[in-house]
Amino acid sequence: MSIPVSVLDLSPVTTGSSVGQALRNTLDLARRVEELGYHRFWLAEHHSMPGIASSAPSVMIGQVAAATSTLRVGSGGVMLPNHAPLVVAEQFGTLDALFPGRIDLGIGRAPGTDQVTAHALRRQADALSAEDFPQQLAHLRAFFDDGFPADHPYAAITAVPGLGAEVAVWLLGSSTYSAQVAGLLGLPFAFARHFSPAQTMPALEAYRSTFRPSDVLDEPYAMVTVTAIAADTDERADYLAAPLRLTMARLRSGNPGRFPSPEEAAANPLTAEQRALLAPSSAGYIVGGPESVRAQFDELLTLTDADEVMVSSLMHDHADRVHSYELVADILTA
């Protein structure tokens, strides 16, 4: 592929199926996209969502890495407000020990859920503040590289596994905040265009303008994540994309559920109000047949000058989802 192309998976739980089947589909998808030449396979962290089974990325990363051999496998991401840095260091140190040179740790600042669920995860009412996040990130990295000053209370702690792990740390974001932090620390940055397309260029510009070379990177490295639903024709792609739009409309109205079928979506067309509500995020979707998808990817890559693109394809039928990734691979290698 002209630039690395990767996959973000949320393990969708579809109507008429089960959580177990959703997770097994994730493993099958990872094997298939590895054969197609994709570079990374990341698992997202979400909680209290009936239609998404990716609540424990560190568990599934191990399963995916064991089922593949060349893919880099990681989190897209681990939501740091939900986890103690030492726990994350031990989890990903374990993964690195089992699958050396293949593990990515993408870190997000949002909780990835509603406030009540976030409270249950954190066991405290307050979320991390803008000031807390860099400190927690610094603690996490220090557990990997023994970076605590001698007089720090945590200097006596040894993360085992964790210390010395060669885990690739990324920062994830949908605004300029994490972009600036990634730039100042000289870390790779992944932008969530799949739900915040309007902030794409401000975030990328903030990352590149604040970037400082580090022992990780000499130059900025930006990845853009995009929703892409490809099919053999534009009409078929629109039909297969309707369940995602219905899912997002239900989520925005506080009524999440299992991922619906195209037939269910066709029977529940979105209202004008729902379409308007979804427009800010759905404007960034890439949907269509091969020629249309090719043109949209060309436009995206020209606009962003991304070093890598990550594709998220949420669809009801697993075979349709695999076929979408096959078409995207064909398009981006042609």
Side-chain angles (χ1 to χ4, degrees):
M1 299 185 184
S2 57
I3 65 169
V5 182
S6 299
V7 172
L8 175 66
D9 191 48
L10 281 67
S11 302
V13 186
T14 62
T15 53
S17 188
S18 66
V19 170
Q21 187 59 55
L23 297 174
R24 286 188 289 272
N25 286 345
T26 286
L27 297 179
D28 180 70
L29 179 64
R31 288 187 287 262
R32 300 291 290 274
V33 299
E34 181 176 60
E35 295 171 356
L36 294 168
Y38 283 83
H39 184 49
R40 307 177 200 275
F41 193 98
W42 281 7
L43 289 305
E45 178 184 344
H46 291 281
H47 300 278
S48 193
M49 297 181 69
I52 293 178
S54 60
S55 61
S58 60
V59 175
M60 283 304 294
I61 289 168
Q63 295 293 313
V64 170
T68 57
S69 58
T70 61
L71 281 173
R72 292 196 65 92
V73 190
S75 57
V78 162
M79 301 294 105
L80 196 54
N82 301 335
H83 310 281
L86 177 57
V87 173
V88 178
E90 291 173 340
Q91 290 175 343
F92 280 77
T94 300
L95 291 166
D96 176 72
L98 291 170
F99 309 101
R102 294 180 58 202
I103 302 302
D104 296 332
L105 171 53
I107 298 169
R109 188 168 64 100
T113 188
D114 60 89
Q115 291 184 350
V116 174
T117 307
H119 181 275
L121 288 163
R122 293 191 307 263
R123 295 184 296 175
Q124 62 184 35
D126 297 331
L128 289 180
S129 69
E131 292 74 27
D132 290 332
F133 179 76
Q135 180 187 62
Q136 296 302 302
L137 176 61
H139 286 176
L140 172 58
R141 299 181 74 196
F143 284 124
F144 284 133
D145 62 14
D146 196 23
F148 289 107
D151 60 349
H152 194 285
Y154 292 172
I157 299 173
T158 302
V160 180
L163 181 62
E166 296 184 1
V167 174
V169 175
W170 288 68
L171 287 193
L172 282 56
S174 58
S175 67
T176 59
Y177 178 87
S178 291
Q180 291 173 321
V181 175
L184 292 171
L185 295 177
L187 294 174
F189 176 61
F191 181 75
R193 180 178 170 83
H194 58 304
F195 62 82
S196 187
Q199 288 296 309
T200 302
M201 293 316 299
L204 293 180
E205 289 165 2
Y207 171 59
R208 290 163 177 156
S209 66
T210 58
F211 182 84
R212 298 176 182 175
S214 68
D215 58 356
V216 177
L217 290 175
D218 295 326
E219 298 178 345
Y221 191 94
M223 177 163 65
V224 174
T225 302
V226 60
T227 294
I229 295 179
D232 293 329
T233 65
D234 290 347
E235 294 75 17
R236 176 68 176 170
D238 286 337
Y239 178 71
L240 296 177
L244 175 58
R245 295 189 172 99
L246 178 59
T247 293
M248 296 307 297
R250 288 173 171 173
L251 179 62
R252 295 289 178 86
S253 65
N255 186 34
R258 295 207 168 187
F259 199 85
S261 67
E263 293 79 10
E264 184 179 351
N268 293 273
L270 300 186
T271 65
E273 182 180 0
Q274 288 174 317
R275 290 184 178 278
L277 186 64
L278 295 181
S281 58
S282 63
Y285 292 178
I286 291 177
V287 178
E291 292 307 312
S292 176
V293 168
R294 185 192 311 278
Q296 292 175 74
F297 267 111
D298 286 345
E299 182 179 357
L300 171 69
L301 297 176
T302 299
L303 172 69
T304 63
D305 195 26
D307 299 290
E308 186 170 341
V309 63
M310 179 166 274
V311 177
S312 175
S313 297
L314 284 176
M315 304 164 77
H316 180 270
D317 188 82
H318 183 60
D320 289 326
R321 188 159 60 128
V322 170
H323 187 49
S324 180
Y325 282 110
E326 291 172 343
L327 291 172
V328 169
D330 288 342
I331 288 163
L332 294 181
T333 56

